[in-house]
Amino acid sequence: MAEPIIRAQQVEKYYAQPSENRIQVIAPTDLAIMPGEIVALLGPSGSGKSTLLRMLAGLSRPSAGEVFWHGKPISQVRASVGIVFQNFALFPWLTVSENVEAPLKALGIAPEQRRERSLKILDTVGLDGFQAAYPKELSGGMRQRVGFARALVVQPEVLFMDEPFSALDVLTAENLRSELLELWHKKTIPTQSIFLVTHNIEEAVLLADRIIVLGRNPGHVRTDFLVPLTHPRNRKSQAFTQLVDYIYTVLTRPDVVPSGLPRPAVRDQRQMHYQMLPHARPGGIAGLLELLIDYNGRADIYRLAGDLAFEVDDLLPIVDAAQLLGFLTVEEGDAVITSAGREYAESDIQLQKEFFRQAAVEHVLLLRQIERAIATKSDHTVPEEFFLDMLDEQFSEEETLRQMDTAISWGRYAELFNFDAARRRFILPQPDIEDETVGEPEGE
Ligand code: ADP
């Protein structure tokens, strides 16, 4: 399994205020940048895209959490990154080649080598012959080529780009995009990963292998998925426009659960291993499904929350959980019950547990693993710690505990296992004993 190049663990950004309050710009966020991918970060203006980019690139320190570069804190290593900015950020008093050589100079590279490398990269980005020109003599597109050359001349492992095409006219932008893709696909540049901040949905779908959408107040990842399209991509194809529409809906409707993806982030799930369990109780899931039957099996999630006098944010984990278990699907912002969900909701309590158990083992890796482990061990008991260690590799410490709590509540309800809370061990459920009697501390 490939290791991430960059891994942000629970990074946050906030700014102090003269009063006691602080402005939280980025909520605690986990994110990994893998080799071989172009990642596009989309989000409404002010959602914290640039802030997140700057933290991932090591330009700005998180207020909390840590960014790791190949497993080491990024503040302690020299990360191999290049950055392209929207406004080009060139030195007007330096020539094109002096601008491109500037980062090499900062790295202490000898003049001759600087010259050689800058000539080569200027040639690669189509600026051969412009070495002696000053930025003001160049068009916007040419200036941004200098921006690219300056970022690429250090042979960065990760190329960061913050709205690199948005100051350019449409044709110039389109031209530069395809040239960049060509460099990337032909491996003309040694860059392993590209991280692109953009507010342009089509640009993201055109270029990216993976798209992350940020929500705001404070910035947080709303959805993170792989783009299921091959290159070259056709803007007019149905798959392309569907994906653009989908992202548009996610961006414009903060109430919509970003789950009706054309394809889930399959590779991510493999790398990430465990799904993130939504923190919902089985009783809540049953309640939602029963209610959906009253609505003839389909209801707008936003309206449903209103009718229930729920905050949408409180309802979403329940919807997510029911979806994860295969009891409902989300279509255009509506929750739609599946046949499995209907069967579940219309059964008596004992049968509901049975259906829940089947769904949980089928859809939830952690519960499947716990069940198998108990069945396999000769004494039919496994310590919680065994699974915590594995979850820990993927989630923050706090989230690991929350994931485990949710898994325990689901597993107990489904009678997949009992949990001995005093010894922190999973045990085989006793058919005759109600699991509440086993080691459960009072008042939990
Ligand atoms: P985006 O790139 O998505 O437009 P930014 O990362 O530029 O968003 O900004 C995110 C939020 O952080 C904005 O609301 C901005 O006002 C706020 N912000 C950025 N820098 C500071 C700062 N130094 N002090 C207070 N707030 C800031």
Side-chain angles (χ1 to χ4, degrees), residues 13-17 23-26 41-54 162-163 197 214 217 219:
K13 190 75 177 181
Y14 39 76
Y15 293 100
Q17 291 267 76
I23 304 172
Q24 181 98 22
V25 175
I26 301 285
L41 181 65
L42 278 166
S45 164
S47 56
K49 300 183 295 295
S50 299
T51 306
L52 194 56
L53 176 145
R54 294 172 62 82
D162 195 348
E163 303 270 5
V197 162
L214 280 196
N217 291 331

Side-chain angles (χ1 to χ4, degrees), residues 170-189:
V170 179
L171 286 179
T172 307
E174 193 65 5
N175 216 348
L176 261 184
R177 279 187 207 108
S178 28
E179 285 184 36
L180 175 74
L181 266 188
E182 192 174 324
L183 293 180
W184 167 258
H185 286 301
K186 289 194 174 156
K187 300 202 187 316
T188 316
I189 48 177

Side-chain angles (χ1 to χ4, degrees), residues 79-85 88-90 96 99-104 107 117 121-122 125 143-162 164 180 189-191:
S80 167
V81 300
I83 306 175
V84 180
F85 299 94
F88 323 136
L90 304 177
V96 166
N99 264 289
V100 174
E101 284 179 40
L104 298 178
L107 289 172
R117 277 171 67 173
I121 198 71
L122 284 170
V125 302
R143 277 185 225 171
Q144 193 54 305
R145 282 174 196 269
V146 182
F148 274 105
R150 188 187 48 191
L152 289 169
V153 77
V154 297
Q155 306 197 320
E157 199 171 330
V158 181
L159 176 65
F160 285 95
M161 304 196 287
D162 195 348
L180 175 74
I189 48 177
T191 299

